Every structure is written in structure tokens, then in C-alpha cells.
Amino acid sequence: MRRLPAVSALCGLAALTIASVPAAITSPAGATASLAAARPRPAAVRAAAGEQKQAVAVGTGGAVASMDLGASRAGIDVLRQGGNAIDAAVATASTLGVTNPFVAGPGGGGFMVIYLARTHQVVTLDGRENCPQACTAGMFTDAKTGQPLDYTNASEQPLSTGVPSMVATWAKALQLYGTRSFAADLRPAIATAEHGFRVDQDFQQLTESGLPVLQAYPASSWLLTKDGGPLPVGTLLRNPDLARTYRLLARYGPSYLYDGPLGRAIVRADDHPAITPGNMLITMPGIMTTSDLRRYAVRVQPPTRVSYRGLDIYSMAPPSSSGSTVGEALNILSGWNLRSEPRATALFHYLEASRLAFADRNAYVGDPRYVQVPLRGLLDPAFAATRRCLVGSTALTSPVAPGDPNPPYHGCGSSAAGQPLPPEGMHTNNIVTTDRWGNIVAYTNTINFFGGSGMTVPHYGFLLNDEMTDFDFAPPAPGAYDPNLPAGGKQPRSSMGPVIALDHGQPAFTVGAAGGSTIITTILQIIMNHVDFGMPLPQALAAPRVRQRNSATSLAEPDFYNSALARQLTSQFGEQFTLSTGPILPLDYYPGDATGIQFLGRGLAEAVAEPVRLFGGSALVVHPARGH
Ligand code: DON
């Protein structure tokens, strides 16, 4: 293994600007990814070596599901060593940051929904990135034209990076609810980064989708590409830089990032990016300061709660829009008995409930520290009734206008024309864990759009997020109210937010998903499949998806798009569909993968991951039940 220079020496190397990047940076001198040459240690790569991914696992003693076998294995190892669900979630998330750096890792942020078995409480951690203090409402508009910037181009700029909040979330979760040290829970990730893992098809296609922006940065192309293309499937990829980063965090704690050398390296990388000579893609450096990092704090928040078919459905409050939008749609659906309706009618009601809830999401949800979010109204069944009564016998015309969630509520709201959905990307990951004590963690986290900003922090081995493009770039009309415009310290609205469902106080299931704003529709559809249509959770996850987000057509997976049900929804109810492609490239329309756990009683849990989407996820349990 290479000996790494001291941190101070590395920091000197990283101080490069857009204007003056020496060609030497493109050489392996500073970058430390190493491919295939070294012999793997069997323990560290056993997930990749022989063990097969499985989408469903039933057993006792605890369970984990994530999008990656190595990451799920890390969580299970921690549970076996006596850790609890919170420890397992941190081990899984940090390992996923190694094996799938395009959707996870120290450069991003996320939301954790936690069920504490001892107190029967659901709590949430808001670990969303803040916009740097220098952010302004017009930061994503073109100064010359006053028009919003192109979404994809803006997402590729260091300007789109928010304060990385992942490490603070892990540390806070462990401090409040974990049983082991940060160092102990980072051990599997360190081992995986050090000894390597095998590049799989998902890794390859994610590299492919972000190739131009990865190539814009010497540190990214060195770590994640080979000969100008993605690493071949099966490559043993080691990331000693990230192993060292995790080791330093284990030793010094999160202050190594938030008030230390790693933070300074992040700020330097963001504000003075080292770009590949001749590359024209990167034009907008970041505006982050070390004081933005110092002021970052994870917040413990009460969850959202709605009652649906006798279950208590808990999720994430703003700045996430998941809890309010899933909750409002479920409240609307509560007015129909979906189980006894013909399936096409039930799906019509699902699509319309989602359409209306999305109109309200876009109009009202933002960072509640900056804007007044009428959360109580959005989750009020009486408000839902004013939305439900707009649904007749044919599909509403989108974009529909938002309702008024402020009481008193009168009759039917308006079905006037509203504003279209702003552009949003689709990717991220959801991890679920449970332990022998019955604690549950559902954790959606991300660095955002396929590989975040594409920039690897030089010598630290991880990608930075581009989460700030979750802000609206401009109000829906000049001067119109918009709760989701950028501001200094503000968090952009998110769609991330997994669900924990309790049945008379006892865990029933948890589910969460990837996929930008389709996270909300995926969760809704899985709940409907499971609770209303009686599908076991694995089938509820696997079933073909269709999503309506207040747009003219609903995005449908091929199996749904080509179904008799879709034809009936069009002929009988006027619903229109667009075909979404996936799980192969292009990824931009891929339906986000989901994970969940169903609690079967007497300590038995069924962990569920995607069977097919994005090449399938990994579900594992500590003690597999006989026959499973
Ligand atoms: O917070 C959100 O809703 C998104 N930033 C989640 C990540 C995502 O799916 C976007 N991906 N391109």
C-alpha cells in the first residue's frame, strides 16, 4: 500500500484555481485510487467475491436493506457485534459511500427517521445541507438575461454544493441513540475502502452518466474512470484516500470536517476547483466558507404523522416534502375504499390524490426556518377533503392550482390552473435497519444528481454534493411567492423522507426510496399496494410503478405503460402516460429503487430490497429463518 503524505502537504497541493491548474495534477501524483493490482483480503471483499445479492431476507436478530451487498453486509456485521440499528445505519451508509460514491458518502446529506423501541417514540434527524451564507435568491439565474440557468449545467457547477452534512448526521445519530463509537461504526467502511470492492454494473452506468463532469476534475477522473471511460465491471477498486478520511474522522470526530483540515480542503476545492486543463464545463466556482461549516448543526425534529387505514404513518417534516405530501395524499385516499374499488378506479384515485398533493407541495413547502410552512393544514384530513372533492370521473388538467391549507376549510377548493413542477433530478439511496431490540432506522441520503457536483475533494476520496439545485431557480412568475428560493443558510426543499408505520404502537413496516420527487410517489404506491391491495412487501416494492406529480402525463414503467390497466385508465378516466426507461441508461427517467422492512411479529423481520431496478439491492438478516 502507498504511504500517504501528511495532511498539511496534501492541502498545499489542493490549492489550485480555475485559472491556473498545472498539468501535473492530472498525473497520479496526488490521486491514490489503485486498481486491481493488489490482492484483496478475502474478509473485506467477500461481499463482492462470492456472496450473492438477495432482494428478500427473513429472520431474527436484526435486518438491513440497502442498494448494495457490501453496504448491507457492513450493517449486519455491526449488528452481530452488538451494535443497534443506529450503529448499523451509520456503518451501512458510510460503506455505501465507498461502494457507491455516486449516491452516498461524506459529501452529502439526508434525513433519518428513527423508531426507538424503549420509549416507543419516532424521532427524526434533519441532516440536510445548508446553502452557504453567501447564497442569494438569484444565484441560479443568469445575470445577463435574468433567466433561470439550465438545470443540468447548474448541477455540474461547484456553486451547487451545499454544506456537507452527512458526517454531522452520523455523529449526531450515534451520540443520541447509538451504542458504539463513531470509530467502531466506521470500521467496515475503512476496511472496504482500503482493501477494495468490485465495480458492478450499477457503478459502471452511474459513471457513464456522469462522465463529462467527472472528467472535468483530475481527482474524479483518476479515482473513478480509466482510459477516459468507466471502470470495467469486476475491477477491484480501492480508495485509500477515503479510508484515510474515515480514519481521521474516527480519530478526531466530526470537527475534523466542520472545524478542521478536511473542512478547509472542502472549501478550497469548492471555491477554487482544480479542473482538467482545457475543460470548459466548470464555470461557476463555489461560495462556501469555513464559517458555513462551523455553523452547521443537525436538528432533531418531530416527525409528521397521519393515520391511514388504522396505521400511524410517520415521516419527515419540512424541509422535506415527503412527510407532508405522502401524508396529504394518504388523507385524500382515506376517503375512498380502494380495496373494494375496481383496480383501475383505485389507481385513478391514487393518481389524482398525488396530483393534488404535489400542487400543494410546490406552493407551500420550503425550509420552515425561512418561510412559513402550513404543515398542520397540509396534514389536516379536513383540508384533504377540500382536495378530494375536486376529483370527479376524469383526470384533472395539470398543472392544477394549490389549495388553501389554512382553516377554516370551505367545500371544494379551486381546480384552476397552477404552476408546473420545477426540474428536479432523480437519484439517492434509502437504507433501512432494525435490531434485536426492535429499534428501526430509515435513512434516505444522497449527494444528489448522479455523482453530485462531480468533484472529488482532492486527496480525500469522496464526491461533493450538488444539492443546492433542489432550490427553485426563479419564482413561478416574476414577483410571485416561492417558498423554495435560495438564501444564505437555508435548506432546499427535499423529497427524501422514508416512512415508519406503526399498528397500534407496534412496528408494522418501514419503506423509503430513491428518485428525487418520485420518492414520494414510490412510497405512496408501495403503501397502497401493501395496505390497500394486500400485497406482501416484496411484491409491493416490485410492482410496476406509475407516478403523477401535477404534470400533464404520469410517468409509467414499461410493465405499467403496456398494461391493460393503463389502457383502461386512459379510456375510462382520461389519464395520460409517458414511458419511463430504466433500469438501463438513460438514468434520468429511471424509477428510484426502494428498500423496506416488514415486521412479522415475535422478532421476525422481512427485509426487502429492489429485485431488478438498478440491478437489484441487498437485503440481509442476522439469523435467517429456516426455509428462507
Ligand atoms: O432531496 C431530494 O429530494 C433530492 N436531492 C434527492 C436526490 C435525488 O434523487 C436527486 N438526484 N438526482
Side-chain angles (χ1 to χ4, degrees):
M1 176 114 4
R2 288 165 57 87
R3 262 187 84 83
L4 293 162
V7 171
S8 53
L10 297 175
C11 291
L13 263 181
L16 300 162
T17 65
I18 283 187
S20 62
V21 181
I25 194 74
T26 58
S27 80
T32 50
S34 78
L35 310 179
R39 281 167 69 88
R41 287 197 194 162
V45 295
R46 66 187 185 278
E51 200 177 346
Q52 291 297 313
K53 270 205 274 205
Q54 58 188 59
V56 180
V58 180
T60 55
V64 179
S66 78
M67 65 189 294
D68 175 74
L69 177 55
S72 294
R73 173 55 62 203
I76 288 291
D77 285 351
V78 161
L79 291 174
R80 288 221 167 102
Q81 290 158 15
N84 69 6
I86 294 87
D87 296 298
V90 171
T92 304
S94 51
T95 304
L96 195 64
V98 181
T99 58
N100 198 331
F102 305 101
V103 302
F111 298 106
M112 227 182 248
V113 181
I114 304 171
Y115 171 73
L116 300 167
R118 198 171 55 77
T119 56
H120 299 288
Q121 251 184 317
V122 179
V123 294
T124 72
L125 292 185
D126 174 348
R128 178 73 160 165
E129 298 91 333
N130 288 349
C131 216
Q133 283 301 317
C135 290
T136 61
M139 68 187 277
F140 291 121
T141 53
D142 184 327
K144 283 192 206 117
T145 63
Q147 292 302 306
L149 297 175
D150 173 72
Y151 173 78
T152 305
N153 182 254
S155 298
E156 288 164 342
Q157 305 301 325
L159 181 64
S160 66
T161 300
V163 175
S165 41
M166 199 83 85
V167 169
T169 314
W170 298 345
K172 188 77 169 181
L174 294 179
Q175 178 211 334
L176 293 176
Y177 312 116
T179 62
R180 294 161 32 115
S181 68
F182 196 26
D185 289 340
L186 286 177
R187 241 175 251 144
I190 293 169
T192 307
E194 199 160 77
H195 301 303
F197 63 96
R198 299 281 171 193
V199 166
D200 62 14
Q201 288 163 296
D202 193 26
F203 192 105
Q204 194 188 48
Q205 72 163 353
L206 285 164
T207 315
E208 178 85 53
S209 77
L211 208 49
V213 72
L214 295 173
Q215 284 170 332
Y217 298 103
S220 298
S221 44
W222 176 251
L223 177 66
L224 299 166
T225 71
K226 191 180 181 204
D227 301 332
L231 300 173
V233 169
T235 303
L236 178 70
L237 179 59
R238 306 165 84 205
N239 187 346
D241 278 358
L242 185 52
R244 185 180 62 94
T245 300
Y246 279 149
R247 240 188 260 111
L248 289 165
L249 289 167
R251 181 160 179 201
Y252 298 110
S255 65
Y256 192 78
L257 191 163
Y258 295 96
D259 196 10
L262 175 52
R264 290 194 287 278
I266 289 171
V267 168
R268 208 169 17 246
D270 191 44
D271 298 355
H272 304 284
I275 56 172
T276 306
N279 193 289
M280 308 297 280
L281 199 59
I282 307 306
T283 53
M284 287 175 258
I287 49 176
M288 204 180 299
T289 65
T290 51
S291 78
D292 289 319
L293 297 177
R294 270 195 299 276
R295 78 169 65 208
Y296 188 80
V298 174
R299 280 167 301 128
V300 183
Q301 300 254 65
T304 59
R305 187 185 74 82
V306 295
S307 174
Y308 188 64
R309 318 280 188 222
L311 298 170
D312 288 306
I313 308 282
Y314 295 92
S315 186
M316 198 68 219
S320 166
S321 60
S322 181
S324 65
T325 313
V326 169
E328 181 185 341
L330 290 177
N331 280 341
I332 296 172
L333 290 174
S334 288
W336 295 295
N337 186 349
L338 301 187
R339 184 182 283 257
S340 64
E341 289 177 343
R343 188 56 57 91
T345 308
L347 286 169
F348 166 63
H349 285 149
Y350 153 68
L351 293 173
E352 295 307 299
S354 184
R355 187 192 304 276
L356 290 161
F358 262 91
D360 298 326
R361 164 199 187 264
N362 298 343
Y364 299 114
V365 181
D367 182 341
R369 295 170 305 157
Y370 287 72
V371 294
Q372 201 267 330
V373 182
L375 182 62
R376 188 189 285 260
L378 290 171
L379 292 174
D380 190 330
F383 171 59
T386 69
R387 306 299 275 154
R388 188 186 312 116
C389 73
L390 292 171
V391 180
S393 55
T394 55
L396 291 163
T397 303
S398 274
V400 296
D404 181 358
N406 300 300
Y409 306 113
H410 298 294
C412 249
S414 153
S415 63
Q419 300 298 331
L421 185 72
E424 292 177 45
M426 300 191 215
H427 209 29
T428 171
N429 81 88
N430 189 66
I431 290 165
V432 287
T433 63
T434 187
D435 60 30
R436 69 180 102 148
W437 300 281
N439 300 300
I440 305 166
V441 176
Y443 183 27
T444 317
N445 61 92
T446 191
I447 62 170
N448 204 24
F449 199 73
F450 304 138
S453 73
M455 183 201 292
T456 297
V457 182
H459 315 293
Y460 287 92
F462 64 91
L463 290 158
L464 287 176
N465 72 81
D466 59 353
E467 213 78 62
M468 299 304 101
T469 53
D470 279 352
F471 281 117
D472 294 344
F473 287 12
Y481 173 72
D482 186 327
N484 191 35
L485 290 174
K490 191 175 176 182
Q491 296 167 318
R493 177 174 61 216
S494 175
S495 300
M496 296 189 290
V499 152
I500 293 178
L502 303 186
D503 186 355
H504 296 91
Q506 294 303 313
F509 64 87
T510 176
V511 67
S517 59
T518 68
I519 290 169
I520 291 166
T521 53
T522 294
I523 290 175
L524 258 180
Q525 200 175 348
I526 291 170
I527 292 176
M528 179 179 64
N529 286 344
H530 183 54
V531 174
D532 293 291
F533 302 157
M535 293 182 200
L537 203 57
Q539 282 90 322
L541 253 86
R545 298 200 190 122
V546 55
R547 51 256 321 202
Q548 170 47 247
R549 294 169 294 159
N550 197 17
S551 43
T553 67
S554 300
L555 200 59
E557 291 183 345
D559 284 353
F560 189 91
Y561 186 84
N562 296 315
S563 68
L565 266 175
R567 286 190 290 280
Q568 192 182 346
L569 279 159
T570 301
S571 62
Q572 189 177 343
F573 298 104
E575 297 287 357
Q576 302 295 325
F577 301 101
T578 303
L579 180 65
S580 78
T581 56
I584 49 165
L585 288 169
L587 290 167
D588 303 77
Y589 297 101
Y590 100 90
D593 47 342
T595 53
I597 301 176
Q598 187 175 358
F599 299 91
L600 303 171
R602 294 200 232 165
L604 200 61
E606 180 171 45
V608 189
E610 287 289 351
V612 175
R613 295 177 181 98
L614 285 174
F615 304 104
S618 159
L620 293 170
V621 290
V622 172
H623 303 299
R626 222 174 270 168
H628 289 279

